[in-house]
Amino acid sequence: MYSDIVMDHFLHPRNVGEIPDADGVGSVGNPVCGDMMTFYIKVKDGRIEDVKFKTFGCGAAIAVSSIVTEMVKGKTLEEAKGITKQQVAEQLGGLPPQKMHCSNLGTEALAAAIADYEAKQAALQQG
Amino acid sequence: MREVYLDHGATTPPRPEVIEAMLPYLREEFGNPLSLHRYGEKPRQAIEAAREKVAALLGARANEIYFTASGSEANNMAVKGVALMARTLGKGNHIVISAIEHQSVLYAAETMAKLGFEVTRVPVDRYGLVDPQAVGDALRDDTVLVSIMLANGEIGTIEPIPEIARVVKAKGIPFHTDAVAAAGRIPIDVDKLGVDLLSVAASQFYGPRGAGALYIRRGTRLLPLIDGGIQEGGRRAGLEDVPAIVGMGVAAEIAAAEMERRTAHLLPLRDRLIARLTSEIPHVYLTGHPTQRLPHHVSVTVEYIEGESMLLLLSMQGVAASSGSTCTSRALKASHVLTAIGVDPALAQGSLVFTLGEGNTQEDVDYVMAVLPGIVERLRQMSPLYKPGS
């Protein structure tokens, strides 16, 4: 059902956990739908210095979370925002069609974490 | 690695005797049972012998057994066939089912709703039990069919069919029960149950895939779904799958003969697995009825994590199980059964179903308990919902 890359990331997820002093935190999905992801980012000089995730969900949801953290680490915020669901699926060697919608939430969780960071920055500048 | 098959609710491995009995009808006895020449003779006799055996398993007469290609077909045949016949007779427009029927009853009823029938779904309690009085309250003058399953394949609960039948038959309404999950696992007698129609599938009792049957009590009227030749008394046309029917007959015969032994084997395994799951892993809850329960059936919800990821990790350890989580359903909807018994939608995602079979041992149960706690802990550590120490 899943590609070897998906299974590898599901069985050996990269960057699992929380960042206690994260610069941005974002959550998407909800457990009622079956998938929920929380992303934590540390930002330095406009780049994602560190990223971690926690995910409730199926094998695809966990693999998506894991590979997104690998894809964005070290990237600028603008580069990270530009990553699409399609690119995530391609990096994973493909996802089953029914998983494209419900489980491919990694980019959204990341975007939510970046938005949280940017909102905090804007608040700091105003204050 | 140890291989442990605990998904007998999905399908059971056919018994060697079943396969052996089928082989001649795949090879030299390929004839059409309707043929008058000698090629039709043995297949014709074999079908009637199988009919006797399936009837014996259900306490029915042979001429009340109609072979189908699956349990789903039998359920469709009952629900649609009875409803459509009632319409042609101008008898009414209302169907009563339970909220936890298998999709093949649920969606068959929904199809009839598209054709103008009204469908009432009787709710169940938190164990999945249907209240006979609630069925009685749902009945109307224009009710043409009641369909309530004998046992649920997802939570294992056995329904009080004789009590429900008394209520339904007091009004003279045809009563169907989906016995697919139950047949071959608990004793069935169509007269003691008081039903007019009853569906079974051979793949649930160590028979072949592609073989089901519908019991139709004499005098019950229904339109055929498949029109054509005179096979199955004209109620189900098409050249019979003779090997599958023969296999079903042998499987039914074995099930009847071995039921007591099978139950005595399964019950301690079931109860051991339920006890260990719910006591040794925190936040694990039994679904379905604790005692009014199929003897092979273990179903739980594991809080804070999702079923598919558990199944994948169990499979890596050689354990084959099942789940009612959204991600494991092709419809991508939460299980209607878990919803109906009031399981919190998030908790329902952690559904795990283990269905035991005659080949399982206590070592299999203990192996599950050797690997599952680590899998649960690993996924909980990844879950944003889980707070250690909770």
Side-chain angles (χ1 to χ4, degrees):
Chain A
M1 174 169 133
Y2 288 132
S3 73
D4 290 345
I5 306 172
V6 171
M7 284 308 289
D8 178 48
H9 277 268
F10 169 62
L11 293 172
H12 311 286
R14 283 63 142 176
N15 303 307
V16 179
E18 301 175 9
I19 301 176
D21 58 341
D23 296 318
V25 181
S27 289
V28 294
N30 69 66
V32 174
C33 303
D35 290 306
M36 179 180 171
M37 297 175 188
T38 304
F39 269 59
Y40 301 82
I41 53 171
K42 284 293 279 183
V43 181
K44 194 177 178 188
D45 302 331
R47 285 183 185 273
I48 295 178
E49 185 186 36
D50 195 13
V51 51
K52 289 196 186 297
F53 78 92
K54 282 208 160 180
T55 291
F56 167 95
C58 63
I62 290 168
V64 161
S65 309
S66 170
I67 203 156
V68 167
T69 63
E70 281 202 331
M71 289 167 76
V72 302
K73 211 180 234 187
K75 293 272 196 308
T76 67
L77 294 179
E78 293 312 311
E79 286 168 345
K81 285 184 203 169
I83 291 172
T84 66
K85 292 187 176 197
Q86 199 55 44
Q87 288 169 329
V88 173
E90 279 166 17
Q91 285 285 312
L92 283 169
L95 279 173
Q98 76 272 22
K99 299 288 185 185
M100 278 300 286
H101 298 293
C102 64
S103 307
N104 198 351
L105 295 173
T107 51
E108 290 175 38
L110 179 75
I114 294 174
D116 179 52
Y117 165 76
E118 289 174 341
K120 282 176 182 162
Q121 288 301 110
L124 274 178
Q125 280 169 15
Q126 277 178 7
Chain B
M1 186 174 61
R2 196 180 181 94
E3 294 285 343
V4 179
Y5 186 75
L6 288 171
D7 201 8
H8 293 83
T11 191
T12 55
R15 286 272 291 242
E17 304 95 306
V18 167
I19 307 275
E20 284 305 315
M22 291 169 69
L23 286 176
Y25 297 92
L26 287 164
R27 292 176 177 147
E28 57 272 22
E29 297 297 344
F30 61 88
N32 185 325
L34 284 183
S35 296
L36 288 176
H37 49 66
R38 69 175 188 82
Y39 293 92
E41 193 174 325
K42 275 207 171 171
R44 188 160 59 242
Q45 291 167 353
I47 288 175
E48 295 319 312
R51 206 182 302 281
E52 296 277 351
K53 290 170 183 170
V54 173
L57 179 67
L58 306 177
R61 282 177 291 223
N63 61 10
E64 296 172 308
I65 300 297
Y66 296 81
F67 288 113
T68 66
S70 63
S72 290
E73 187 194 330
N75 282 339
N76 271 267
M77 184 174 170
V79 173
K80 295 175 180 171
V82 170
L84 289 172
M85 178 59 94
R87 168 161 291 176
T88 64
L89 297 172
K91 280 197 164 178
N93 230 18
H94 182 230
I95 299 168
V96 175
I97 63 174
S98 85
I100 61 167
E101 294 303 307
H102 184 260
Q103 286 87 342
S104 55
V105 167
L106 203 59
Y107 296 162
E110 284 182 10
T111 294
M112 300 321 290
K114 287 177 190 150
L115 295 177
F117 283 84
E118 282 184 62
V119 179
T120 299
R121 292 168 190 79
V122 177
V124 294
D125 70 8
R126 66 193 192 92
Y127 298 114
L129 285 174
V130 174
D131 176 3
Q133 189 53 50
V135 176
D137 293 345
L139 300 178
R140 311 192 315 211
D141 289 343
D142 64 341
T143 306
V144 295
L145 174 70
V146 176
S147 181
I148 310 280
M149 67 197 342
L150 178 50
N152 184 281
E154 201 174 319
I155 55 173
T157 299
I158 301 171
E159 301 296 345
I161 294 300
E163 290 75 17
I164 298 170
R166 267 197 288 280
V167 175
V168 175
K169 295 317 292 175
K171 301 239 174 155
I173 299 166
F175 184 30
H176 166 251
T177 193
D178 168 8
V180 169
R185 295 190 168 116
I186 57 174
I188 290 178
D189 183 303
V190 290
D191 288 332
K192 286 182 185 156
L193 289 174
V195 296
D196 301 306
L197 307 110
L198 179 144
S199 305
V200 298
S203 62
Q204 289 288 312
F205 50 86
Y206 309 97
R209 272 77 32 110
L214 181 64
Y215 156 80
I216 306 173
R217 185 177 295 278
R218 198 177 292 172
T220 308
R221 302 188 65 180
L222 71 171
L223 278 187
L225 297 187
I226 305 176
D227 290 304
I230 60 159
Q231 293 90 355
E232 300 303 296
R235 283 181 150 161
R236 202 272 190 179
L239 175 57
E240 301 91 336
D241 187 342
V242 181
I245 290 169
V246 167
M248 182 172 193
V250 174
E253 188 174 41
I254 296 171
E258 298 189 357
M259 189 162 311
E260 269 186 57
R261 191 187 60 77
R262 281 183 191 170
T263 306
H265 168 72
L266 289 171
L267 276 180
L269 298 180
R270 179 194 78 178
D271 293 341
R272 182 182 181 89
L273 184 52
I274 290 174
R276 291 199 62 187
L277 281 168
T278 52
S279 68
E280 293 177 28
I281 308 177
H283 311 292
V284 172
Y285 314 99
L286 182 71
T287 57
H289 200 281
T291 53
Q292 286 292 107
R293 188 176 189 93
L294 291 172
H296 74 304
H297 201 284
V298 177
S299 59
V300 294
T301 51
V302 183
E303 200 166 10
Y304 308 119
I305 56 178
E306 191 276 329
E308 190 214 77
S309 46
M310 280 190 277
L311 293 188
L312 287 172
L313 292 173
L314 279 169
S315 178
M316 300 293 293
Q317 304 279 351
V319 178
S322 182
S323 168
S325 88
T326 302
C327 279
T328 57
S329 81
R330 291 198 166 264
L332 298 177
K333 281 195 280 191
S335 151
H336 68 285
V337 177
L338 297 179
T339 303
I341 62 172
V343 174
D344 174 80
L347 183 56
Q349 302 296 348
S351 149
L352 262 191
V353 182
F354 300 101
T355 38
L356 296 146
E358 60 178 8
N360 290 127
T361 61
Q362 186 176 310
E363 286 71 34
D364 290 340
V365 168
D366 293 341
Y367 179 70
V368 169
M369 290 310 300
V371 298
L372 185 61
I375 289 170
V376 169
E377 183 56 25
R378 175 175 169 177
L379 290 170
R380 280 180 176 166
Q381 289 302 332
M382 261 189 254
S383 169
L385 303 174
Y386 181 63
K387 305 286 176 260
S390 60

